[in-house]
Amino acid sequence: MIHALLKDRPTKLFLFFTAFFVANALIAECIGGKIFSLEKLFGLHPASFTLFGQKGLAFNLTCGVLLWPLEFVMTDIVNEYFGPKAVRRISYIAIALISYAFLMFYAAIHIPPADFWIGTKTGSNIPNMQDAFNGIFGQGMWIILGSLTAFLVSQIVDVTVFHRIKKITGNKHVWLRATGSTIVSQLVDSFVVLFIAFRLGNNWSMQQVLAICLVNYAYKATMAIVLTPLIYLVEKRIEVYLGHETANQMKLAAMGQDGTATSIT
């Protein structure tokens, strides 16, 4: 029975997406502590503009945003073939494992370091390895809470919007439901994480929250549009891998219609 299950292509596909989804989310959380300049990445001079009275704004983003758009692409693909229950399941798994990772980071930070290890990188301009370790893996509790809450809420919003659009369009207009759901959910994600982490946790003004939110959202919305062709490419590969009949049955089952292919319940 186990061998038959592991040979089942829809099952293998779901396992792949679950593993990639969780790994991608965890990596995004880990690298999110670094802020980079989007303008400098493209060889441009940093912008300086004003929103909601906040001056000197530029596209300074966390490295985590480089990976989060892929998370929503995978959400839409899993939604398409396995349905909203599957998306919720992998989202809960991701949140549980990210929480576990942060707990382990916290424990590792507070484990007493070996004396010799602290100065092992002085030649690389790192005078204290314990401080460096804390700086990389230590994030404020408000940031962690904001990030996890925003992730869960935005996933639920993405699933809901995706299926409402699909009920209207059927299997047509993949770009509309994929991009539309991502654009809406990313707005929610951008606001919730900033509101919890910096409005509640660091007493930012609402003007600051809204200004930074719009800067982040501009990038995320642009990436949602840019990555739309990737969804078509992946779906074509899935059709080849599963076969047209199985893929179509899975799409019907994902919408709660008749279908005999394997589904995640």
Side-chain angles (χ1 to χ4, degrees):
M1 175 181 176
I2 296 299
H3 293 295
L5 183 64
L6 293 177
K7 288 181 179 179
D8 180 67
R9 291 199 167 191
T11 300
K12 289 195 289 185
L13 187 65
F14 184 74
L15 288 174
F16 169 78
F17 277 119
T18 300
F20 193 91
F21 185 91
V22 173
N24 191 72
L26 180 56
I27 294 170
E29 291 286 357
C30 290
I31 67 176
K34 179 176 180 177
I35 308 297
F36 75 99
S37 169
L38 183 63
E39 297 96 332
K40 288 184 178 180
L41 182 63
F42 292 101
L44 303 174
H45 186 73
S48 181
F49 53 92
T50 301
L51 285 174
F52 297 103
Q54 305 301 306
K55 299 179 180 179
L57 295 174
F59 285 94
N60 296 319
L61 308 168
T62 74
C63 285
V65 302
L66 298 173
L67 298 184
W68 281 120
L70 288 176
E71 207 73 356
F72 287 90
V73 167
M74 287 186 284
T75 296
D76 292 334
I77 293 172
V78 172
N79 217 346
E80 183 81 16
Y81 290 96
F82 297 96
K85 288 184 179 180
V87 174
R88 286 193 290 269
R89 176 167 295 181
I90 65 174
S91 298
Y92 297 151
I93 292 172
I95 288 173
L97 292 179
I98 290 171
S99 299
Y100 170 74
F102 278 130
L103 183 62
M104 293 302 103
F105 294 161
Y106 180 83
I109 286 171
H110 290 84
I111 291 175
D115 292 336
F116 81 91
W117 174 73
I118 294 176
T120 53
K121 292 293 183 178
T122 53
S124 301
N125 294 321
I126 304 176
N128 189 307
M129 282 295 290
Q130 179 64 31
D131 291 341
F133 188 89
N134 295 352
I136 296 297
F137 291 102
Q139 295 191 42
M141 294 306 298
W142 282 107
I143 295 176
I144 295 171
L145 178 61
S147 179
L148 292 178
T149 303
F151 175 67
L152 179 59
V153 173
S154 61
Q155 287 293 101
I156 293 173
V157 170
D158 191 286
V159 169
T160 302
V161 174
F162 184 96
H163 272 271
R164 286 188 178 180
I165 295 176
K166 190 172 183 179
K167 285 182 179 179
I168 298 173
T169 62
N171 285 330
K172 298 179 180 179
H173 306 304
V174 173
W175 65 270
L176 180 61
R177 59 180 173 271
T179 306
S181 63
T182 299
I183 286 177
V184 174
S185 60
Q186 286 289 279
L187 178 60
V188 174
D189 179 83
S190 298
F191 177 77
V192 171
V193 66
L194 289 170
F195 183 81
I196 294 176
F198 298 104
R199 172 62 176 171
L200 299 182
N202 290 276
N203 202 32
W204 277 18
S205 68
M206 280 302 299
Q207 289 80 4
Q208 285 179 294
V209 170
L210 291 174
I212 302 301
C213 173
L214 289 182
V215 171
N216 290 345
Y217 179 64
Y219 166 81
K220 293 177 181 179
T222 301
M223 289 304 300
I225 296 171
V226 169
L227 290 177
T228 299
L230 178 62
I231 295 176
Y232 281 91
L233 176 63
V234 173
E235 289 203 6
K236 284 185 179 180
R237 296 300 302 168
I238 290 175
E239 295 272 343
V240 172
Y241 177 71
L242 296 175
H244 178 73
E245 183 178 353
T246 299
N248 189 56
Q249 289 175 349
M250 290 175 65
K251 288 181 178 181
L252 290 174
M255 287 296 295
Q257 301 174 15
D258 291 335
T260 57
T262 301
S263 61
I264 306 299
T265 57

